[in-house]
Amino acid sequence: MRREEARALGDLAGDAAATLAGQAREMHQGVARRVFGALGMTGGPVRVIHDRVADGAYKGAHKVTAAVVRSGANAYSLTRDEDDPSLEETTPGRLMV
């Protein structure tokens, strides 16, 4: 695997991993909607604060998750030589792609 291939796979994997934070956020929003819906107007002020805090937390989780995966791939890419065979040039690489 070449350096640029490792980095490209890291970008792809980082985007895929970050979607997990989005899925968790959607599930959290669904649960919160039900709870705050049951509370009615009495839960309004708490809901505003909750939604802002949760939104910020999930945005941060999305960015951090993608960055961790990309950073790992970038670090791995530094262990590769420029003249390493491409993924397309090896049987395991062709199977993976």
Side-chain angles (χ1 to χ4, degrees), residues 3-96:
R3 285 183 180 182
E4 65 271 8
E5 291 173 330
R7 288 186 190 117
L9 286 173
D11 288 341
L12 180 65
D15 290 343
T19 63
L20 294 174
Q23 291 172 353
R25 177 183 184 201
E26 290 172 9
M27 185 184 311
H28 184 161
Q29 286 173 336
V31 171
R33 238 181 268 121
R34 286 185 177 184
V35 170
F36 287 117
L39 292 174
M41 294 294 288
T42 58
V46 175
R47 182 178 188 168
V48 170
I49 295 168
H50 168 271
D51 289 349
R52 287 186 182 170
V53 170
D55 187 51
Y58 283 111
K59 284 180 182 176
H62 184 274
K63 290 180 181 182
V64 167
T65 302
V68 166
V69 173
R70 285 189 182 106
S71 296
N74 284 335
Y76 173 74
S77 76
L78 298 175
T79 68
R80 312 309 302 164
D81 290 326
E82 290 297 330
D83 58 348
D84 280 350
S86 170
L87 284 172
E88 296 175 346
E89 296 171 358
T90 65
T91 301
R94 283 193 303 271
L95 290 171
M96 186 176 79

